[in-house]
Amino acid sequence: RLYRTGDLVRWNAEGQIEYLGRIDHQVKIRGFRIELGEIEAQLLSQPEVREAVVVARQSPGVGRASLVGYVAAHAGQAADSVVLRERLGRVLPDYMVPRAIVTLPSLPLNANGKVDRSALPDPEALGRERAFDEPQGEAEEALAGIWRDVLGVERVARDDNFFELGGDSILSLKLIAKVRQQLPGGSQLGLADVMQAGSLAALADRLQQRLGDSHHAVCLHAGGAGIPLFCMPGLIVNTREFQVLAQALEGDRPVYGFVSHVYTAKRWRGFAIHELAAEYADFILATATGGRCALLGWSLGGDLAFEVARQLEGRIEVAFIGAVDVFETEPMIPAGTLTAAQRAQADQALAEWLARSEMAAQWKALMARMDERERDWVAEQMLDPVEAFPSDGAGDEAAEYLLWATLDSRVQSMRYAYEMLSRPVHVFQAESSLRRDGRLRDWSAHAPVAATDVLENADHLDIIRHPQLGALVKQRLLAADAA
């Protein structure tokens, strides 16, 4: 065949020239002169696309033209606009990627058999014709307000795409700036999040996830209209230990669990109650935007829940505090007085052990924080031939690291000064814990006690999964919802 100036062609795999279309449709977008045919050629190169055309349309609200693509798929195939935009973004500069790609059964043709560009539907009109899905939850609603402001549109649905509403890379930067200024967790949001999120709802999810990641929180259940519950972990606890409790609440409310400090990047800070509680409180304030929250702490987490409640006083209503099988901290008191010979032997054993340990610096820092009685207790343990101190390193599951975390928690807990709390505490105790060595915490010394429940056939390690605990917590939280 004969080719004319302006025809767009390419060499195919057989070494033949393949006609793709014309490049005489030029437009100017954001100061760049663009050949629409180049973009159409990239769309036509996609395996599922049978027909394609690109036009410049006035963007809603932003007062300037932007690109819109229209495609028809091969029989038996489907064209996904989000996927197509992502592929184009790999080979074309940002200003050449259409803000929207509309899928049609076939492209409209004029009497001459050419694409009738004037008959192509308005993508905004198509969006108005489909069912409008309102933003859900305060995060989506707040984010939708920012989208309306940045894009200049009247309304935003939860399944709307930022770029299909007229967004581009410049508006993305404006969006991120506003999100960082106005929304909790916004400082963690990046350009990649905006580019990759396919909808308002997806971006709100990413925002919440960034907030959770920065505070070591995991969302165990996202739905429900009840007061959100925040679970504080014990020392060596996987957050998923709270999953059974979350399921027992049967979707009544959002449920979050914090990751034990032992498994975070700040683990060498140890059980720093005030600092941990401050971080948890910040997350709760950013997440419980309805103005009320519920707290529950298991084991050592009971002390965290108490301190979080104290730090939240006057900032948000703490509607429920649950303390699950919390023991008094066991002080490290030596059994007797070491002789000079015993102390020398203990010092030698300690020096030899530290020489083998890859955690020597952390152990020395911990012992520097101990008082004399606590160091004497450590010396006694060094002389015990049965309970030799482990030296298997700093891995999350290493016995040496877990020993360090346990002793650190005992040292820091002994220095924590309880202040009286005005909010009542709901106390839950395992039946077997009443017979164990060690003493369960007397919460009445620190706060009013709303109720004390002893769970039959429960022990310290499985009480958090006990069906009776789930039923009791559900009952108390529903009462708090109604109050």
Side-chain angles (χ1 to χ4, degrees), residues 359 363 389-406:
M359 291 174 49
W363 279 113
F389 274 31
S391 56
D392 54 347
D396 285 349
E397 308 252 338
E400 181 181 0
Y401 170 62
L402 297 180
L403 176 63
W404 181 93
T406 301

Side-chain angles (χ1 to χ4, degrees), residues 232-236 261 271 273 297-305 324-327 329 405-406 409-410 413 418 441 460:
M232 318 291 158
L235 186 66
I236 304 168
H261 69 279
F271 190 56
I273 300 178
W298 172 32
S299 189
L300 207 63
D303 295 332
L304 284 171
V324 181
D325 220 44
V326 184
F327 280 81
T329 302
T406 301
S409 70
R410 291 170 69 177
S413 293
Y418 276 88
R441 188 172 301 290
H460 182 71

Side-chain angles (χ1 to χ4, degrees), residues 198-238:
S199 66
L200 175 85
L203 187 60
D205 284 344
R206 282 175 178 259
L207 188 64
Q208 187 64 41
Q209 184 177 352
R210 295 290 181 273
L211 178 63
D213 290 347
S214 66
H215 290 79
H216 307 294
V218 176
C219 181
L220 301 172
H221 180 77
I227 301 168
L229 175 65
F230 299 87
C231 301
M232 318 291 158
L235 186 66
I236 304 168
V237 174
N238 185 312

Side-chain angles (χ1 to χ4, degrees), residues 23-37:
I23 60 171
D24 49 8
H25 290 289
Q26 286 193 351
V27 296
K28 199 168 187 179
I29 301 292
R30 287 160 47 188
F32 297 96
R33 189 163 295 281
I34 296 171
E35 295 282 2
L36 297 180

Side-chain angles (χ1 to χ4, degrees), residues 258-458:
F258 291 99
V259 177
S260 170
H261 69 279
V262 169
Y263 303 117
T264 71
K266 296 182 179 180
R267 61 183 183 158
W268 297 119
R269 178 179 60 181
F271 190 56
I273 300 178
H274 290 96
E275 290 86 345
L276 286 166
E279 292 169 6
Y280 294 173
D282 286 344
F283 176 81
I284 291 167
L285 289 169
T287 306
T289 50
R292 305 179 79 198
C293 69
L295 311 177
L296 182 139
W298 172 32
S299 189
L300 207 63
D303 295 332
L304 284 171
F306 182 92
E307 176 59 22
V308 170
R310 192 192 65 77
Q311 294 194 24
L312 289 175
E313 283 189 316
R315 304 165 74 189
I316 190 175
E317 179 188 347
V318 180
F320 171 87
I321 305 170
V324 181
D325 220 44
V326 184
F327 280 81
E328 297 280 0
T329 302
E330 183 182 357
M332 299 188 319
I333 300 174
T337 302
L338 295 177
T339 65
Q342 288 174 322
R343 183 171 295 281
Q345 183 184 354
D347 289 345
Q348 179 65 28
L350 179 62
E352 292 175 357
W353 173 66
L354 288 174
R356 298 192 303 271
S357 173
E358 65 180 61
M359 291 174 49
Q362 286 81 15
W363 279 113
K364 289 176 181 177
L366 173 57
M367 284 186 272
R369 288 190 276 115
M370 295 179 182
D371 61 26
E372 186 176 351
R373 286 195 313 167
E374 289 166 336
R375 285 191 288 271
D376 284 349
W377 180 90
V378 172
E380 280 188 348
Q381 309 310 305
M382 297 303 302
L383 296 176
D384 187 341
V386 178
E387 298 291 336
F389 274 31
S391 56
D392 54 347
D396 285 349
E397 308 252 338
E400 181 181 0
Y401 170 62
L402 297 180
L403 176 63
W404 181 93
T406 301
L407 297 188
D408 165 81
S409 70
R410 291 170 69 177
V411 169
Q412 299 214 46
S413 293
M414 289 303 299
R415 286 150 181 76
Y416 175 69
Y418 276 88
E419 297 181 21
M420 287 299 297
L421 192 65
S422 60
R423 295 295 306 175
V425 176
H426 296 256
V427 179
F428 305 93
Q429 298 173 340
E431 183 182 35
S432 68
S433 294
L434 299 175
R435 303 187 297 270
R436 276 182 53 178
D437 292 337
R439 185 163 54 94
L440 286 164
R441 188 172 301 290
D442 177 10
W443 287 104
S444 66
H446 312 300
V449 174
T452 299
D453 294 278
V454 178
L455 279 61
E456 296 181 358
N457 301 317

Side-chain angles (χ1 to χ4, degrees), residues 227-231 242 244-250 252-255 294-298 319-325 426-429 451 453 455 463-481:
I227 301 168
L229 175 65
F230 299 87
C231 301
F242 294 109
V244 174
L245 175 62
Q247 292 169 351
L249 301 181
E250 299 177 315
D252 288 342
R253 68 201 65 254
V255 181
L295 311 177
L296 182 139
W298 172 32
F320 171 87
I321 305 170
V324 181
D325 220 44
H426 296 256
V427 179
F428 305 93
Q429 298 173 340
D453 294 278
L455 279 61
I463 187 174
I464 202 66
R465 297 183 293 275
H466 198 283
Q468 189 182 355
L469 177 69
L472 287 168
V473 171
K474 179 180 174 66
Q475 173 191 339
R476 306 283 168 77
L477 288 175
L478 288 174
D481 291 339

